[in-house]
């Protein structure tokens, strides 16, 4: 069985499109009818997210943590308990390609880190869009990590300890733990996911804040409240392989690297 976990905090405006794309991917003929189980982890939701999931026959579980690490771990635990052999993760503001699951499984790896695309830059400047496109490596062998496009075998997930209860960079911590366990990780552009560039990010230090940091660099100023945005995954904008756990410092470093490399990226749950 293939499990798909989606954390959500008040995602009523985007959840329907996300679930429709995930359910389509789960019906791909190349999966040969293998059972799939989709779960939305409602983290302190006060909107209609639960009704949207129910309207599509998708089960939900609720938590009041406001912590994406806790939410992803809960989703994984539920799916493992149901017998999932493979865990696929995306975000509620993202849409996966119809062959998303097929592409992950075809790589026959312990874990797969995929890329993301943005198709709507509303609310972002052209400079931010340009910096992102110039610096992002959308090719096999990239070193990007996105909770919106991540897959891991149940065996490898259990062996490395799973998601940690951290509010930011939970996906980076998981991949680092997988590396420490000498898991076979494939960095592939084949599994495709389109995500949001929205400025009202649900998780501090996620993709939205990374793009905002790029905007700040573009205007030769540092973003406000840097202390509250620490750990915004500068490793996500690095273009060369490196030990991931050493790259989770703070936005000052992210801004410095963005200016130096003219890059960008992130990935979170929004």
């Amino acid at each position: 069985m293939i499990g798909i976990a989606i954390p959500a905090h008040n995602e009523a405006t985007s959840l329907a499109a996300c679930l429709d794309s995930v359910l389509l991917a789960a019906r791909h003929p190349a999966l040969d009818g293998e059972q799939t189980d989709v779960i939305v982890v409602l983290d302190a939701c006060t909107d209609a997210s639960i009704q949207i999931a129910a309207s599509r026959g998708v089960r939900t579980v609720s938590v009041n943590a406001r912590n994406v690490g806790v939410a992803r771990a809960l989703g994984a635990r539920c799916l493992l308990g149901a017998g999932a052999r493979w865990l696929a993760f995306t975000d509620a503001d993202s849409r996966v390609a119809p062959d998303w699951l097929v592409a992950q499984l075809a790589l026959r790896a312990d874990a797969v880190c995929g890329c993301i695309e943005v198709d709507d830059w509303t609310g972002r400047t052209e400079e931010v869009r340009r910096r992102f496109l110039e610096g992002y490596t959308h090719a096999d062998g990239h070193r990007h990590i996105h909770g919106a496009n991540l897959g891991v075998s149940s065996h490898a997930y259990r062996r490395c300890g799973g998601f940690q209860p951290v509010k930011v960079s939970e996906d980076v911590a998981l991949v680092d733990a997988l590396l420490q366990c000498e898991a076979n990780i494939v960095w592939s552009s084949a599994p495709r996911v389109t995500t949001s560039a929205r400025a009202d990010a649900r998780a501090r230090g996620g993709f939205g804040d990374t793009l905002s940091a790029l905007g700040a660099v573009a205007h030769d100023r540092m973003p406000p409240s840097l202390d509250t945005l620490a750990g915004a995954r500068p490793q996500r904008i690095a273009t060369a392989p490196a030990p991931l756990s050493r790259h989770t410092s703070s936005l000052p470093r992210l801004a410095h690297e963005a200016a130096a490399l003219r890059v960008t990226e992130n990935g979170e749950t929004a």
Side-chain angles (χ1 to χ4, degrees):
M1 188 263 281
I2 302 166
I4 303 102
I6 307 165
H9 171 66
N10 289 342
E11 293 284 9
T13 59
S14 57
L15 184 57
C18 171
L19 292 178
D20 288 345
S21 72
V22 166
L23 293 172
L24 179 61
R27 296 193 299 269
H28 196 286
L31 294 176
D32 294 325
E34 182 171 359
Q35 180 184 352
T36 57
D37 188 3
V38 183
I39 186 168
V40 176
V41 182
L42 302 169
D43 189 358
C45 284
T46 57
D47 65 356
S49 293
I50 188 170
Q51 288 86 359
I52 292 170
S55 71
R56 283 155 174 79
V58 172
R59 68 173 174 136
T60 60
V61 61
S62 297
V63 65
N64 191 30
R66 287 300 283 119
N67 182 305
V68 67
V70 169
R72 288 200 201 277
L74 177 57
R77 186 162 65 249
C78 292
L79 294 168
L80 290 171
R85 68 177 181 93
W86 182 262
L87 301 172
F89 299 93
T90 191
D91 291 336
D93 68 336
S94 303
R95 290 167 283 119
V96 307
D99 65 347
W100 178 58
L101 295 171
V102 172
Q104 286 189 354
L105 293 169
L107 294 167
R108 299 184 181 279
D110 292 325
V112 176
C113 293
C115 297
I116 55 94
E117 297 177 348
V118 174
D119 65 353
D120 183 359
W121 290 93
T122 301
R124 298 293 183 179
T125 66
E126 174 59 25
E127 180 69 4
V128 168
R129 187 191 72 85
R130 183 183 65 80
R131 284 176 176 268
F132 178 86
L133 295 177
E134 283 182 355
Y136 192 82
T137 303
H138 199 288
D140 291 346
H142 67 84
R143 294 289 286 192
H144 306 303
I145 304 172
H146 301 281
N149 194 357
L150 183 63
V152 58
S153 72
S154 59
H155 174 73
Y157 183 87
R158 288 188 172 105
R159 183 157 51 102
C160 78
F163 283 110
Q164 299 303 303
V166 293
K167 290 186 176 182
V168 66
S169 295
E170 80 295 337
D171 44 3
V172 174
L174 177 68
V175 172
D176 189 60
L178 288 164
L179 288 171
Q180 296 301 316
C181 291
E182 300 183 344
N184 173 28
I185 301 175
V186 174
W187 310 80
S188 175
S189 62
R192 294 166 295 133
V193 170
T194 301
T195 196
S196 167
R198 65 189 181 189
D200 59 332
R202 297 298 188 270
R204 294 273 64 90
F207 191 42
D209 282 345
T210 302
L211 292 178
S212 295
L214 285 177
V217 172
H219 289 84
D220 295 321
R221 62 178 176 82
M222 294 302 295
S225 305
L226 289 175
D227 290 342
T228 66
L229 301 179
R233 310 178 210 181
Q235 81 292 336
R236 293 171 182 268
I237 60 171
T239 56
L244 301 175
S245 62
R246 305 296 175 261
H247 290 192
T248 53
S249 53
S250 62
L251 266 181
R253 176 171 179 175
L254 175 126
H256 171 75
E257 293 190 8
L261 301 177
R262 300 185 67 80
V263 288
T264 176
E265 200 263 311
N266 156 283
E268 170 343 352
T269 159

